Amino acid sequence: MSQPLPRGFLWGNSTSSMQTEGGWDEGGKGRSVYDIRSATNNSSDWRVAIDEYHRYDEDIDLMANQGMNCYRFQISWSRVCPTGDGDFNEEGIQFYDNLINKLLDHNMTPMICLYHFDMPLALAEKYNGFIDRHVVDAFVRFGKEMINRFADKVPYWITFNEQNLYSMSEVFRISGYLKGSQSDADLYRISHHVMVAHAKVANYLHDHTHAKIGGMLAYQEVYPATSRPRDILYARRIDEFLNRNLLDVFVHGRYSSEVFAFLKNHHIDLDLTEEDQKAFEQLHSDFIAFSYYRSLQISSDHVPIGIIPNRYLDFGAGEVPGLPVNEWGWNIDPMGFRGILTKTYNQYHLPMFPIENGIGMREQYNGSMIQDDYRIDYHRQHIQALKKAVFEDGVDVIGYLGWGLIDIPSSSGNMDKRYGMVYVNRTNHDLKDLKRIPKKSYGWFKHVIKTNGADLDQ
Protein backbone atom coordinates (compact mmCIF):
# COMPACT_ATOMS: atom_id res chain seq x y z
CA MET A 1 0.00 0.00 0.00
CA SER A 2 1.05 3.58 -0.59
CA GLN A 3 0.67 6.66 1.60
CA PRO A 4 -2.89 7.42 2.77
CA LEU A 5 -4.45 10.80 2.23
CA PRO A 6 -4.57 13.25 5.16
CA ARG A 7 -6.78 12.48 8.12
CA GLY A 8 -10.28 13.92 7.73
CA PHE A 9 -10.22 13.62 3.93
CA LEU A 10 -13.77 13.63 2.56
CA TRP A 11 -14.89 10.75 0.35
CA GLY A 12 -18.31 10.97 -1.19
CA ASN A 13 -20.92 11.45 -3.86
CA SER A 14 -22.43 14.42 -5.69
CA THR A 15 -25.86 14.73 -7.31
CA SER A 16 -28.42 17.28 -8.45
CA SER A 17 -32.07 17.42 -7.43
CA MET A 18 -33.61 17.01 -10.88
CA GLN A 19 -31.40 14.00 -11.66
CA THR A 20 -32.28 12.20 -8.44
CA GLU A 21 -35.43 13.29 -6.66
CA GLY A 22 -38.45 12.83 -8.89
CA GLY A 23 -41.57 13.73 -6.93
CA TRP A 24 -42.01 16.57 -9.40
CA ASP A 25 -45.60 17.34 -8.31
CA GLU A 26 -45.49 16.20 -4.67
CA GLY A 27 -45.00 17.91 -1.36
CA GLY A 28 -46.00 21.35 -2.57
CA LYS A 29 -43.21 21.56 -5.14
CA GLY A 30 -43.59 24.10 -7.93
CA ARG A 31 -42.55 23.36 -11.50
CA SER A 32 -39.01 23.95 -12.68
CA VAL A 33 -37.83 24.43 -16.24
CA TYR A 34 -36.88 20.72 -16.27
CA ASP A 35 -40.32 19.51 -15.26
CA ILE A 36 -41.84 20.56 -18.58
CA ARG A 37 -39.26 18.78 -20.73
CA SER A 38 -40.53 15.72 -22.56
CA ALA A 39 -38.77 12.44 -23.14
CA THR A 40 -37.01 11.89 -26.48
CA ASN A 41 -35.73 8.81 -28.26
CA ASN A 42 -32.48 9.05 -26.29
CA SER A 43 -33.61 10.55 -23.01
CA SER A 44 -36.20 10.30 -20.28
CA ASP A 45 -38.35 13.04 -18.82
CA TRP A 46 -37.48 14.37 -15.36
CA ARG A 47 -40.56 13.42 -13.38
CA VAL A 48 -39.18 10.37 -11.55
CA ALA A 49 -35.39 10.31 -12.07
CA ILE A 50 -34.33 7.66 -9.51
CA ASP A 51 -37.15 8.52 -7.08
CA GLU A 52 -34.80 9.89 -4.41
CA TYR A 53 -37.73 11.82 -2.96
CA HIS A 54 -39.09 8.54 -1.64
CA ARG A 55 -35.86 6.47 -1.48
CA TYR A 56 -33.21 8.71 0.05
CA ASP A 57 -33.08 6.50 3.18
CA GLU A 58 -32.06 3.53 1.04
CA ASP A 59 -29.46 5.47 -0.93
CA ILE A 60 -27.89 7.12 2.11
CA ASP A 61 -27.61 3.65 3.64
CA LEU A 62 -25.79 2.49 0.49
CA MET A 63 -23.40 5.42 0.64
CA ALA A 64 -22.78 4.99 4.36
CA ASN A 65 -22.18 1.25 3.95
CA GLN A 66 -19.56 2.09 1.34
CA GLY A 67 -17.83 4.23 3.94
CA MET A 68 -18.59 7.64 2.42
CA ASN A 69 -18.35 10.54 4.84
CA CYS A 70 -19.66 13.32 2.58
CA TYR A 71 -22.68 13.86 0.35
CA ARG A 72 -23.14 16.91 -1.81
CA PHE A 73 -26.75 17.35 -2.83
CA GLN A 74 -28.81 20.17 -4.28
CA ILE A 75 -31.78 21.95 -2.79
CA SER A 76 -34.43 22.32 -5.47
CA TRP A 77 -35.39 26.00 -5.47
CA SER A 78 -38.91 25.21 -6.71
CA ARG A 79 -39.44 22.55 -4.02
CA VAL A 80 -38.79 24.99 -1.18
CA CYS A 81 -40.19 28.09 -2.93
CA PRO A 82 -42.64 26.99 -5.64
CA THR A 83 -42.71 30.26 -7.63
CA GLY A 84 -39.11 31.20 -6.85
CA ASP A 85 -40.00 34.52 -5.24
CA GLY A 86 -43.17 33.81 -3.23
CA ASP A 87 -43.96 31.96 -0.03
CA PHE A 88 -41.62 29.26 1.18
CA ASN A 89 -42.94 25.71 1.26
CA GLU A 90 -42.46 24.19 4.70
CA GLU A 91 -43.11 20.65 3.48
CA GLY A 92 -40.31 20.97 0.93
CA ILE A 93 -37.94 22.44 3.53
CA GLN A 94 -38.78 19.58 5.90
CA PHE A 95 -37.77 17.09 3.22
CA TYR A 96 -34.24 18.51 3.17
CA ASP A 97 -34.13 18.77 6.96
CA ASN A 98 -34.97 15.06 7.17
CA LEU A 99 -32.33 14.23 4.56
CA ILE A 100 -29.66 16.24 6.39
CA ASN A 101 -30.53 14.60 9.70
CA LYS A 102 -30.26 11.17 8.07
CA LEU A 103 -26.77 12.07 6.80
CA LEU A 104 -25.69 13.30 10.22
CA ASP A 105 -27.02 10.12 11.83
CA HIS A 106 -24.65 8.21 9.53
CA ASN A 107 -21.69 10.51 10.31
CA MET A 108 -21.77 11.91 6.79
CA THR A 109 -20.90 15.57 6.18
CA PRO A 110 -23.63 17.35 4.20
CA MET A 111 -22.66 19.77 1.43
CA ILE A 112 -25.37 21.92 -0.15
CA CYS A 113 -25.52 23.25 -3.69
CA LEU A 114 -28.22 25.90 -4.16
CA TYR A 115 -28.62 25.87 -7.94
CA HIS A 116 -28.01 23.18 -10.55
CA PHE A 117 -29.77 24.73 -13.56
CA ASP A 118 -33.39 23.88 -12.59
CA MET A 119 -34.86 27.37 -12.25
CA PRO A 120 -38.44 27.72 -11.01
CA LEU A 121 -40.54 27.85 -14.17
CA ALA A 122 -42.45 30.91 -13.00
CA LEU A 123 -39.26 33.01 -12.86
CA ALA A 124 -38.08 31.77 -16.24
CA GLU A 125 -41.38 32.56 -17.90
CA LYS A 126 -41.92 35.95 -16.30
CA TYR A 127 -38.39 37.34 -16.14
CA ASN A 128 -36.39 35.22 -18.60
CA GLY A 129 -34.08 34.03 -15.86
CA PHE A 130 -30.88 35.63 -14.68
CA ILE A 131 -30.91 38.27 -17.40
CA ASP A 132 -33.27 40.13 -15.02
CA ARG A 133 -32.13 41.59 -11.71
CA HIS A 134 -35.37 40.46 -10.08
CA VAL A 135 -34.20 36.86 -10.40
CA VAL A 136 -30.87 37.77 -8.81
CA ASP A 137 -32.73 39.21 -5.84
CA ALA A 138 -35.04 36.18 -5.69
CA PHE A 139 -32.07 33.81 -5.65
CA VAL A 140 -30.35 35.77 -2.90
CA ARG A 141 -33.56 35.66 -0.84
CA PHE A 142 -33.78 31.88 -1.39
CA GLY A 143 -30.12 31.40 -0.51
CA LYS A 144 -30.36 33.40 2.70
CA GLU A 145 -33.41 31.43 3.81
CA MET A 146 -31.64 28.11 3.24
CA ILE A 147 -28.61 29.37 5.15
CA ASN A 148 -30.85 30.42 8.04
CA ARG A 149 -32.46 26.99 8.07
CA PHE A 150 -29.46 24.71 7.58
CA ALA A 151 -26.05 26.35 8.08
CA ASP A 152 -25.87 25.16 11.69
CA LYS A 153 -25.90 21.57 10.37
CA VAL A 154 -24.19 21.92 6.98
CA PRO A 155 -20.52 23.03 6.99
CA TYR A 156 -19.89 23.21 3.21
CA TRP A 157 -21.85 25.22 0.61
CA ILE A 158 -21.72 26.20 -3.02
CA THR A 159 -24.13 28.53 -4.77
CA PHE A 160 -24.04 27.68 -8.50
CA ASN A 161 -23.02 24.35 -9.94
CA GLU A 162 -20.30 24.82 -12.59
CA GLN A 163 -20.60 28.59 -12.56
CA ASN A 164 -18.32 29.15 -15.54
CA LEU A 165 -20.91 27.51 -17.79
CA TYR A 166 -22.72 30.84 -17.48
CA SER A 167 -19.78 32.31 -19.39
CA MET A 168 -20.25 29.89 -22.29
CA SER A 169 -22.98 29.20 -24.83
CA GLU A 170 -24.58 26.89 -22.24
CA VAL A 171 -25.63 30.03 -20.39
CA PHE A 172 -28.98 30.36 -22.13
CA ARG A 173 -30.04 26.77 -21.44
CA ILE A 174 -29.10 26.70 -17.77
CA SER A 175 -30.05 30.18 -16.55
CA GLY A 176 -33.78 30.09 -17.24
CA TYR A 177 -33.40 32.10 -20.45
CA LEU A 178 -36.38 31.05 -22.58
CA LYS A 179 -36.58 33.79 -25.20
CA GLY A 180 -34.51 36.53 -26.78
CA SER A 181 -31.52 37.17 -28.99
CA GLN A 182 -28.92 35.10 -27.09
CA SER A 183 -26.37 37.79 -27.91
CA ASP A 184 -22.80 38.03 -26.65
CA ALA A 185 -23.82 41.00 -24.52
CA ASP A 186 -26.61 38.92 -22.93
CA LEU A 187 -24.16 36.10 -22.22
CA TYR A 188 -21.81 38.41 -20.32
CA ARG A 189 -24.67 40.13 -18.48
CA ILE A 190 -26.17 36.84 -17.29
CA SER A 191 -22.74 35.64 -16.19
CA HIS A 192 -22.23 38.85 -14.22
CA HIS A 193 -25.67 38.69 -12.59
CA VAL A 194 -24.94 35.12 -11.48
CA MET A 195 -21.66 36.28 -9.94
CA VAL A 196 -23.48 39.06 -8.09
CA ALA A 197 -25.93 36.50 -6.71
CA HIS A 198 -23.03 34.27 -5.63
CA ALA A 199 -21.24 37.15 -3.90
CA LYS A 200 -24.29 38.30 -1.95
CA VAL A 201 -25.14 34.81 -0.74
CA ALA A 202 -21.50 34.01 0.15
CA ASN A 203 -21.14 37.30 2.03
CA TYR A 204 -24.32 36.60 3.98
CA LEU A 205 -23.11 33.13 4.94
CA HIS A 206 -19.78 34.51 6.14
CA ASP A 207 -21.46 37.32 8.08
CA HIS A 208 -23.94 35.08 9.89
CA THR A 209 -22.45 31.57 10.21
CA HIS A 210 -19.26 29.57 10.65
CA ALA A 211 -19.94 27.51 7.53
CA LYS A 212 -17.63 27.53 4.52
CA ILE A 213 -18.41 28.40 0.91
CA GLY A 214 -16.53 28.44 -2.35
CA GLY A 215 -17.10 29.05 -6.03
CA MET A 216 -17.36 26.06 -8.36
CA LEU A 217 -16.19 25.66 -11.95
CA ALA A 218 -16.64 23.03 -14.63
CA TYR A 219 -12.93 22.64 -15.26
CA GLN A 220 -11.60 21.07 -18.43
CA GLU A 221 -7.94 21.21 -19.29
CA VAL A 222 -7.77 22.69 -22.81
CA TYR A 223 -4.59 22.03 -24.76
CA PRO A 224 -3.50 23.77 -27.96
CA ALA A 225 -3.97 21.45 -30.94
CA THR A 226 -0.48 22.31 -32.22
CA SER A 227 2.54 24.30 -31.09
CA ARG A 228 1.53 27.15 -33.37
CA PRO A 229 1.33 30.43 -31.45
CA ARG A 230 -2.31 31.01 -32.39
CA ASP A 231 -3.44 27.65 -30.97
CA ILE A 232 -1.48 28.41 -27.80
CA LEU A 233 -3.07 31.87 -27.60
CA TYR A 234 -6.57 30.43 -27.94
CA ALA A 235 -5.97 27.81 -25.25
CA ARG A 236 -4.66 30.50 -22.89
CA ARG A 237 -7.58 32.83 -23.59
CA ILE A 238 -10.10 30.05 -22.96
CA ASP A 239 -8.58 29.52 -19.52
CA GLU A 240 -8.53 33.27 -18.83
CA PHE A 241 -12.09 34.01 -19.93
CA LEU A 242 -13.82 30.85 -18.67
CA ASN A 243 -11.87 30.01 -15.53
CA ARG A 244 -9.45 32.61 -14.20
CA ASN A 245 -11.90 35.47 -14.73
CA LEU A 246 -14.29 33.92 -12.21
CA LEU A 247 -11.54 32.64 -9.93
CA ASP A 248 -10.22 36.20 -9.68
CA VAL A 249 -13.60 37.32 -8.34
CA PHE A 250 -13.98 34.34 -6.00
CA VAL A 251 -10.56 35.01 -4.47
CA HIS A 252 -9.65 38.66 -5.16
CA GLY A 253 -13.03 40.33 -5.67
CA ARG A 254 -12.33 41.61 -9.18
CA TYR A 255 -12.60 40.44 -12.77
CA SER A 256 -9.56 39.61 -14.88
CA SER A 257 -7.89 42.73 -16.27
CA GLU A 258 -7.70 41.10 -19.72
CA VAL A 259 -11.40 40.26 -19.75
CA PHE A 260 -12.33 43.71 -18.47
CA ALA A 261 -10.24 45.34 -21.19
CA PHE A 262 -11.90 43.12 -23.81
CA LEU A 263 -15.37 44.16 -22.66
CA LYS A 264 -14.42 47.83 -22.71
CA ASN A 265 -12.86 47.60 -26.17
CA HIS A 266 -15.94 45.83 -27.54
CA HIS A 267 -18.41 48.19 -25.85
CA ILE A 268 -20.07 45.40 -23.87
CA ASP A 269 -21.93 46.61 -20.76
CA LEU A 270 -21.85 44.11 -17.87
CA ASP A 271 -24.43 46.06 -15.85
CA LEU A 272 -21.79 46.39 -13.10
CA THR A 273 -23.06 48.70 -10.36
CA GLU A 274 -21.39 50.26 -7.33
CA GLU A 275 -23.39 47.89 -5.13
CA ASP A 276 -22.08 44.92 -7.14
CA GLN A 277 -18.53 46.14 -6.73
CA LYS A 278 -18.94 46.51 -2.97
CA ALA A 279 -20.27 42.94 -2.79
CA PHE A 280 -17.25 41.73 -4.77
CA GLU A 281 -14.81 43.60 -2.54
CA GLN A 282 -16.31 41.92 0.53
CA LEU A 283 -16.28 38.47 -1.11
CA HIS A 284 -13.83 35.75 -0.24
CA SER A 285 -13.80 31.99 -0.74
CA ASP A 286 -12.89 29.26 1.72
CA PHE A 287 -12.08 26.73 -0.99
CA ILE A 288 -12.21 26.27 -4.77
CA ALA A 289 -14.60 23.54 -5.93
CA PHE A 290 -14.71 22.10 -9.42
CA SER A 291 -15.95 19.26 -11.57
CA TYR A 292 -13.56 17.38 -13.82
CA TYR A 293 -14.37 14.70 -16.35
CA ARG A 294 -12.18 15.18 -19.42
CA SER A 295 -9.80 17.40 -21.36
CA LEU A 296 -10.06 18.92 -24.83
CA GLN A 297 -7.88 20.48 -27.44
CA ILE A 298 -8.53 23.73 -29.32
CA SER A 299 -7.73 24.28 -33.00
CA SER A 300 -7.80 27.97 -33.92
CA ASP A 301 -8.24 27.06 -37.61
CA HIS A 302 -11.88 26.14 -36.95
CA VAL A 303 -12.78 29.27 -34.98
CA PRO A 304 -14.35 32.05 -37.07
CA ILE A 305 -12.59 35.41 -36.93
CA GLY A 306 -14.28 37.78 -34.51
CA ILE A 307 -15.81 35.13 -32.22
CA ILE A 308 -15.53 36.02 -28.54
CA PRO A 309 -13.16 33.77 -26.56
CA ASN A 310 -16.09 32.42 -24.55
CA ARG A 311 -17.33 30.68 -27.72
CA TYR A 312 -14.02 29.32 -29.05
CA LEU A 313 -14.86 25.81 -27.89
CA ASP A 314 -18.16 25.87 -29.79
CA PHE A 315 -16.16 25.77 -33.02
CA GLY A 316 -12.61 24.57 -32.36
CA ALA A 317 -12.88 21.89 -29.66
CA GLY A 318 -11.71 18.36 -30.38
CA GLU A 319 -10.58 15.16 -28.73
CA VAL A 320 -6.97 15.00 -27.59
CA PRO A 321 -5.08 12.52 -29.79
CA GLY A 322 -3.71 9.47 -28.02
CA LEU A 323 -6.10 9.53 -25.07
CA PRO A 324 -8.80 6.89 -24.57
CA VAL A 325 -12.39 8.07 -24.95
CA ASN A 326 -15.81 6.77 -23.97
CA GLU A 327 -18.73 6.29 -26.33
CA TRP A 328 -19.60 9.97 -26.10
CA GLY A 329 -16.12 11.14 -27.07
CA TRP A 330 -15.00 12.23 -23.61
CA ASN A 331 -11.24 11.89 -23.12
CA ILE A 332 -9.86 10.10 -20.08
CA ASP A 333 -7.04 12.34 -18.85
CA PRO A 334 -5.98 12.00 -15.19
CA MET A 335 -2.86 14.07 -15.87
CA GLY A 336 -5.13 16.97 -16.78
CA PHE A 337 -6.86 16.50 -13.41
CA ARG A 338 -3.56 16.78 -11.57
CA GLY A 339 -2.63 19.81 -13.66
CA ILE A 340 -5.79 21.67 -12.71
CA LEU A 341 -5.38 20.88 -9.02
CA THR A 342 -1.78 22.02 -8.98
CA LYS A 343 -1.87 25.11 -11.18
CA THR A 344 -5.01 26.47 -9.52
CA TYR A 345 -3.60 25.93 -6.04
CA ASN A 346 -0.31 27.53 -7.07
CA GLN A 347 -2.18 30.59 -8.36
CA TYR A 348 -4.74 31.09 -5.59
CA HIS A 349 -3.49 29.14 -2.53
CA LEU A 350 -6.94 28.03 -1.41
CA PRO A 351 -7.87 24.43 -0.57
CA MET A 352 -9.05 22.56 -3.64
CA PHE A 353 -12.19 20.44 -3.62
CA PRO A 354 -12.96 18.24 -6.66
CA ILE A 355 -16.67 17.55 -6.15
CA GLU A 356 -17.53 15.82 -9.43
CA ASN A 357 -15.48 13.18 -11.21
CA GLY A 358 -16.57 10.09 -13.09
CA ILE A 359 -17.14 8.31 -16.38
CA GLY A 360 -20.40 7.57 -18.16
CA MET A 361 -20.76 4.16 -19.79
CA ARG A 362 -23.57 2.11 -21.29
CA GLU A 363 -24.44 -0.87 -19.05
CA GLN A 364 -27.17 -3.50 -18.71
CA TYR A 365 -28.00 -5.73 -15.76
CA ASN A 366 -28.59 -9.39 -16.65
CA GLY A 367 -28.73 -10.90 -13.19
CA SER A 368 -24.98 -11.01 -12.57
CA MET A 369 -22.84 -8.33 -10.98
CA ILE A 370 -21.77 -5.71 -13.52
CA GLN A 371 -18.00 -6.00 -13.99
CA ASP A 372 -17.21 -2.30 -14.45
CA ASP A 373 -13.42 -2.53 -14.38
CA TYR A 374 -13.28 0.49 -16.70
CA ARG A 375 -14.87 2.59 -13.95
CA ILE A 376 -12.44 1.24 -11.39
CA ASP A 377 -9.56 2.13 -13.71
CA TYR A 378 -10.95 5.63 -14.27
CA HIS A 379 -11.31 6.45 -10.58
CA ARG A 380 -8.03 4.73 -9.67
CA GLN A 381 -6.11 6.84 -12.17
CA HIS A 382 -7.75 10.07 -11.03
CA ILE A 383 -7.21 9.35 -7.33
CA GLN A 384 -3.58 8.51 -8.11
CA ALA A 385 -3.28 11.85 -9.90
CA LEU A 386 -4.86 13.60 -6.91
CA LYS A 387 -2.37 11.94 -4.57
CA LYS A 388 0.52 13.14 -6.72
CA ALA A 389 -0.89 16.65 -6.53
CA VAL A 390 -1.06 16.36 -2.74
CA PHE A 391 2.22 14.62 -1.97
CA GLU A 392 4.47 15.73 -4.84
CA ASP A 393 3.05 19.17 -5.66
CA GLY A 394 1.98 20.30 -2.19
CA VAL A 395 -1.70 20.88 -2.97
CA ASP A 396 -4.20 21.12 -0.10
CA VAL A 397 -7.16 18.96 -1.17
CA ILE A 398 -10.28 18.69 1.01
CA GLY A 399 -11.78 15.57 -0.51
CA TYR A 400 -12.86 13.64 -3.58
CA LEU A 401 -16.53 13.38 -4.54
CA GLY A 402 -17.54 11.21 -7.45
CA TRP A 403 -20.41 12.15 -9.72
CA GLY A 404 -23.67 10.29 -9.44
CA LEU A 405 -22.16 7.19 -7.83
CA ILE A 406 -25.66 5.76 -7.77
CA ASP A 407 -26.90 5.73 -11.38
CA ILE A 408 -28.88 8.82 -12.38
CA PRO A 409 -29.97 10.23 -15.73
CA SER A 410 -27.15 12.17 -17.36
CA SER A 411 -27.33 15.95 -17.76
CA SER A 412 -29.17 15.40 -21.05
CA GLY A 413 -31.63 13.01 -19.37
CA ASN A 414 -30.03 9.89 -20.83
CA MET A 415 -30.31 6.95 -18.43
CA ASP A 416 -28.13 4.89 -20.77
CA LYS A 417 -25.10 7.01 -19.86
CA ARG A 418 -24.41 5.60 -16.40
CA TYR A 419 -21.87 6.97 -13.94
CA GLY A 420 -22.80 4.96 -10.87
CA MET A 421 -21.14 2.31 -8.77
CA VAL A 422 -24.69 1.21 -7.99
CA TYR A 423 -26.98 0.20 -10.86
CA VAL A 424 -30.53 1.57 -10.84
CA ASN A 425 -32.94 -0.70 -12.66
CA ARG A 426 -34.70 1.59 -15.11
CA THR A 427 -34.25 2.73 -18.70
CA ASN A 428 -35.09 5.93 -20.48
CA HIS A 429 -38.68 4.87 -21.09
CA ASP A 430 -39.34 2.03 -18.62
CA LEU A 431 -39.16 2.72 -14.88
CA LYS A 432 -39.14 -1.01 -14.03
CA ASP A 433 -38.64 -1.45 -10.26
CA LEU A 434 -35.83 1.13 -9.70
CA LYS A 435 -33.95 -1.51 -7.70
CA ARG A 436 -30.44 -0.57 -6.53
CA ILE A 437 -27.76 -3.17 -7.40
CA PRO A 438 -24.09 -2.60 -6.47
CA LYS A 439 -21.54 -3.07 -9.26
CA LYS A 440 -17.99 -4.37 -8.89
CA SER A 441 -16.70 -0.81 -8.44
CA TYR A 442 -18.84 -0.40 -5.30
CA GLY A 443 -16.71 -2.88 -3.35
CA TRP A 444 -13.48 -1.49 -4.80
CA PHE A 445 -14.30 2.06 -3.74
CA LYS A 446 -15.37 0.83 -0.31
CA HIS A 447 -11.86 -0.57 0.18
CA VAL A 448 -10.27 2.64 -1.13
CA ILE A 449 -12.23 4.67 1.43
CA LYS A 450 -11.42 2.22 4.23
CA THR A 451 -7.71 2.67 3.53
CA ASN A 452 -8.13 6.45 3.04
CA GLY A 453 -6.71 6.11 -0.45
CA ALA A 454 -3.68 4.07 0.53
CA ASP A 455 -4.70 0.96 -1.40
CA LEU A 456 -6.04 1.58 -4.91
CA ASP A 457 -5.16 -1.79 -6.39
CA GLN A 458 -7.29 -4.41 -4.61
Side-chain angles (χ1 to χ4, degrees):
M1 291 199 294
S2 61
Q3 188 173 359
L5 283 155
R7 188 174 182 179
F9 191 83
L10 296 178
W11 297 96
N13 184 22
S14 285
T15 59
S16 75
S17 62
M18 76 277 192
Q19 290 168 278
T20 56
E21 285 180 7
W24 71 286
D25 61 351
E26 297 182 56
K29 182 183 179 298
R31 291 194 179 188
S32 80
V33 292
Y34 276 79
D35 292 329
I36 62 171
R37 296 183 181 180
S38 302
T40 69
N41 289 338
N42 297 308
S43 70
S44 62
D45 62 32
W46 301 89
R47 297 188 171 191
V48 175
I50 62 168
D51 197 30
E52 194 81 357
Y53 186 70
H54 300 105
R55 295 174 180 249
Y56 69 87
D57 280 330
E58 177 183 0
D59 288 346
I60 291 174
D61 286 345
L62 278 165
M63 289 185 279
N65 180 66
Q66 201 174 22
M68 291 184 183
N69 57 7
C70 185
Y71 179 44
R72 170 214 154 186
F73 63 95
Q74 181 218 343
I75 292 177
S76 167
W77 188 353
S78 58
R79 186 175 296 284
V80 299
C81 186
T83 63
D85 58 359
D87 293 339
F88 285 97
N89 172 32
E90 292 300 326
E91 187 173 355
I93 292 171
Q94 188 63 49
F95 167 75
Y96 293 108
D97 194 44
N98 294 342
L99 188 152
I100 290 166
N101 289 336
K102 174 79 173 182
L103 291 169
L104 295 175
D105 288 344
H106 284 75
N107 298 313
M108 295 179 68
T109 299
M111 181 180 193
I112 283 176
C113 172
L114 290 172
Y115 187 77
H116 199 118
F117 317 145
D118 56 340
M119 176 167 290
L121 182 62
L123 292 181
E125 291 181 333
K126 187 173 182 180
Y127 298 102
N128 214 19
F130 280 106
I131 192 71
D132 195 297
R133 284 272 181 173
H134 177 87
V135 176
V136 175
D137 295 338
F139 178 83
V140 172
R141 174 178 173 265
F142 153 64
K144 288 179 177 179
E145 184 69 17
M146 296 304 101
I147 288 167
N148 293 341
R149 301 289 187 124
F150 299 129
D152 61 333
K153 299 180 180 180
V154 178
Y156 292 100
W157 293 70
I158 56 173
T159 51
F160 294 95
N161 180 73
E162 299 179 328
Q163 191 172 326
N164 55 340
L165 295 186
Y166 298 88
S167 305
M168 304 168 69
S169 57
E170 283 282 283
V171 64
F172 300 105
R173 181 181 67 84
I174 64 180
S175 67
Y177 195 98
L178 300 179
K179 53 188 180 293
S181 63
Q182 301 190 2
S183 67
D184 292 345
D186 287 346
L187 181 153
Y188 283 114
R189 181 165 292 207
I190 291 171
S191 177
H192 172 64
H193 285 175
V194 168
M195 182 59 83
V196 172
H198 166 81
K200 290 184 175 181
V201 171
N203 291 344
Y204 183 85
L205 180 138
H206 282 136
D207 287 344
H208 293 86
T209 80
H210 298 292
K212 296 181 179 181
I213 193 167
M216 183 200 174
L217 303 182
Y219 226 133
Q220 301 172 106
E221 189 66 275
V222 178
Y223 305 109
T226 72
S227 59
R228 292 178 301 173
R230 192 171 187 84
D231 284 351
I232 294 170
L233 170 67
Y234 276 37
R236 185 194 64 75
R237 295 190 90 189
I238 288 168
D239 191 37
E240 188 69 25
F241 278 69
L242 299 184
N243 302 319
R244 288 179 56 94
N245 183 47
L246 274 64
L247 289 166
D248 281 354
V249 185
F250 293 150
V251 180
H252 301 309
R254 52 174 169 73
Y255 286 118
S256 153
S257 56
E258 180 182 358
V259 174
F260 219 69
F262 179 90
L263 297 174
K264 181 179 178 180
N265 292 335
H266 289 80
H267 309 290
I268 294 175
D269 179 13
L270 272 186
D271 188 34
L272 175 63
T273 68
E274 288 186 13
E275 182 183 345
D276 297 345
Q277 192 57 56
K278 289 179 181 178
F280 287 178
E281 291 169 0
Q282 183 186 343
L283 178 65
H284 70 274
S285 293
D286 301 299
F287 56 86
I288 294 171
F290 68 101
S291 64
Y292 179 82
Y293 296 92
R294 59 170 175 168
S295 58
L296 295 166
Q297 70 172 18
I298 183 71
S299 173
S300 60
D301 288 345
H302 300 296
V303 179
I305 300 298
I307 292 293
I308 61 172
N310 305 65
R311 298 186 189 269
Y312 284 174
L313 289 172
D314 294 347
F315 299 93
E319 297 174 10
V320 181
L323 293 180
V325 296
N326 71 357
E327 178 183 339
W328 290 271
W330 286 34
N331 294 323
I332 300 172
D333 183 10
M335 190 175 293
F337 183 47
R338 176 185 179 181
I340 287 168
L341 284 164
T342 301
K343 74 177 180 181
T344 310
Y345 186 73
N346 287 346
Q347 291 162 354
Y348 295 99
H349 301 286
L350 283 180
M352 300 295 294
F353 200 172
I355 60 174
E356 290 184 26
N357 181 238
I359 184 169
M361 301 293 286
R362 192 181 299 272
E363 295 165 328
Q364 290 185 334
Y365 178 67
N366 59 11
S368 301
M369 178 179 285
I370 293 173
Q371 303 293 312
D372 57 339
D373 293 283
Y374 41 81
R375 183 167 291 108
I376 292 172
D377 289 342
Y378 180 94
H379 285 286
R380 177 190 292 120
Q381 291 178 48
H382 284 79
I383 296 169
Q384 286 172 335
L386 181 151
K387 291 181 69 174
K388 289 180 179 179
V390 171
F391 296 119
E392 298 181 22
D393 304 341
V395 181
D396 183 0
V397 180
I398 294 172
Y400 175 82
L401 308 187
W403 173 251
L405 294 183
I406 298 173
D407 281 347
I408 57 179
S410 73
S411 58
S412 64
N414 186 3
M415 197 67 205
D416 291 335
K417 189 181 184 185
R418 295 175 180 268
Y419 286 84
M421 296 180 179
V422 175
Y423 186 88
V424 174
N425 191 33
R426 64 155 294 182
T427 67
N428 280 330
H429 307 118
D430 184 356
L431 293 176
K432 297 187 177 182
D433 60 6
L434 293 167
K435 184 178 179 181
R436 276 60 165 157
I437 306 162
K439 307 173 190 177
K440 182 179 179 180
S441 58
Y442 180 87
W444 172 82
F445 198 51
K446 182 175 183 176
H447 182 74
V448 170
I449 296 171
K450 183 179 180 180
T451 66
N452 200 24
D455 189 0
L456 303 177
D457 295 322
Q458 181 168 315

